[in-house]
């Protein structure tokens, strides 16, 4: 399966949807912040590994604790993913903190500052 194939794109979407449902409703770890969202999931073409990009609303401490909590619950998440999705292989999950939303907000503020200074 190629990396940009339609099948791989559909698998990525399904894995992302199921992971967000599992994280939202199934994890009882207090380290995982309640405002954790799955931004993207990239499943390798051989379906063995998956990079899960997550976004956490909160400070850096909450973000690092959420990543630690998700890594410790990886076995449970994989088991639930295998139960909900009918795949030959359940991919190993790697959680990556996605800072793109924060970066976009910071850039928007900087653009507003610059345009505000120009209008004055």
């Amino acid at each position: 399966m190629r990396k940009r194939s339609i099948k791989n794109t559909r698998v990525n979407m399904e894995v992302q949807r199921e992971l967000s449902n599992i994280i939202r409703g199934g994890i009882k770890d207090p380290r995982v912040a309640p405002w954790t969202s799955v931004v993207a999931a990239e499943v390798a073409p051989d379906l063995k590994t998956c990079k899960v990009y997550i976004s956490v609303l909160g400070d850096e401490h909450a973000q690092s604790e959420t990543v630690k909590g998700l890594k410790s619950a990886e076995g449970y998440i994989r088991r639930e993913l295998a139960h909900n999705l009918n795949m030959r292989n359940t991919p190993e999950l790697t959680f990556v903190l996605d800072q793109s939303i924060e970066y976009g907000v910071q850039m928007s503020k900087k653009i507003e500052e610059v345009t505000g200074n120009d209008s004055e």
Side-chain angles (χ1 to χ4, degrees):
M1 180 167 59
R2 292 186 323 247
K3 190 169 185 171
R4 300 285 181 206
S5 69
I6 294 172
K7 181 181 176 186
N8 197 359
T9 304
R10 281 191 306 203
V11 168
N12 289 343
M13 296 286 288
E14 283 297 317
V15 168
Q16 178 183 352
R17 185 176 313 131
E18 286 300 324
L19 284 174
S20 64
N21 289 338
I22 292 168
I23 290 173
R24 187 173 1 131
I27 296 181
K28 304 290 188 239
D29 193 340
R31 294 179 291 183
V32 178
W35 294 102
T36 302
S37 61
V38 178
V39 177
E42 290 181 3
V43 180
D46 62 353
L47 303 177
K48 300 276 186 192
T49 60
C50 176
K51 278 188 181 178
V52 181
Y53 295 95
I54 60 166
S55 176
V56 180
L57 186 65
D59 59 349
E60 291 182 17
H61 177 68
Q63 293 173 351
S64 64
E65 287 297 313
T66 298
V67 171
K68 287 179 189 174
L70 289 174
K71 285 182 181 177
S72 71
E74 181 183 350
Y76 169 77
I77 295 170
R78 276 189 76 192
R79 185 179 74 228
E80 289 296 314
L81 190 64
H83 180 70
N84 294 338
L85 293 179
N86 188 13
M87 295 171 59
R88 179 172 289 169
N89 296 323
T90 303
E92 288 189 31
L93 304 173
T94 305
F95 294 100
V96 179
L97 191 60
D98 186 27
Q99 302 281 352
S100 63
I101 297 173
E102 264 184 58
Y103 181 74
V105 169
Q106 290 174 353
M107 291 314 251
S108 295
K109 287 181 182 177
K110 289 180 181 180
I111 290 172
E112 287 178 13
E113 288 175 9
V114 169
T115 56
N117 291 339
D118 287 345
S119 62
E120 292 174 359

